[in-house]
Amino acid sequence: QVQLVESGGGLVQAGGSLRLSCAASGRTSSLSTMAWFRQAPGKEREFVAAITWSSGVTYYANSRKGRFTISRDNAKNTGYLQMNSLKPEDTAVYYCAFRRTIVIPPPTVASRYDYWGQGTQVTVSS
């Protein structure tokens, strides 16, 4: 099994930045891809970005490209989401997720990921 713990969410003003972290523990050798999703109230969970765990190749939802950066530190078994120029519409619960098997490009559908963190709230005020 794999356990994921997210941190780094909070309240920030529009135009500000946050960095989310996702620490993985357990059978991390079985992981191939990490992704970040987000879910706003009343909306479906949507794909933000993904990164292949071994090679570090990144993928982004078009609307987040340029403002968000996904990265990982294999030595720490930790993934990150750097979010800049935040907007009120970025307000959501952000989740990290991992899948065991690699698919290129990574899936953008939440159901295709095997492990999930508990989520961290990001609130952007106008």
Side-chain angles (χ1 to χ4, degrees), residues 84-108:
N84 299 327
S85 302
L86 283 163
K87 305 175 182 179
E89 50 264 43
D90 294 317
T91 295
V93 178
Y94 284 71
Y95 298 89
C96 66
F98 277 82
R99 51 177 288 124
R100 293 185 297 268
T101 54
I102 192 164
V103 173
I104 300 298
T108 60

Side-chain angles (χ1 to χ4, degrees), residues 57-113:
V57 179
T58 58
Y59 303 84
Y60 295 91
N62 286 337
S63 59
R64 256 73 73 185
K65 196 176 295 185
R67 294 193 299 124
F68 291 8
T69 303
I70 190 172
S71 61
R72 91 277 186 251
D73 184 332
N74 295 77
K76 296 181 179 179
N77 284 327
T78 300
Y80 305 96
L81 183 68
Q82 176 68 42
M83 305 185 293
N84 299 327
S85 302
L86 283 163
K87 305 175 182 179
E89 50 264 43
D90 294 317
T91 295
V93 178
Y94 284 71
Y95 298 89
C96 66
F98 277 82
R99 51 177 288 124
R100 293 185 297 268
T101 54
I102 192 164
V103 173
I104 300 298
T108 60
V109 177
S111 61
R112 297 192 62 187
Y113 286 80

Side-chain angles (χ1 to χ4, degrees), residues 10-64:
L11 174 64
V12 64
Q13 288 188 332
S17 299
L18 284 174
R19 188 176 82 155
L20 307 182
S21 299
C22 176
S25 60
R27 297 186 61 182
T28 57
S29 61
S30 66
L31 302 177
S32 73
T33 305
M34 185 191 78
W36 288 94
F37 286 78
R38 69 185 188 183
Q39 188 166 19
K43 295 188 176 181
E44 292 188 355
R45 196 166 295 190
E46 64 174 353
F47 174 80
V48 174
I51 186 168
T52 55
W53 202 241
S54 60
S55 59
V57 179
T58 58
Y59 303 84
Y60 295 91
N62 286 337
S63 59
R64 256 73 73 185

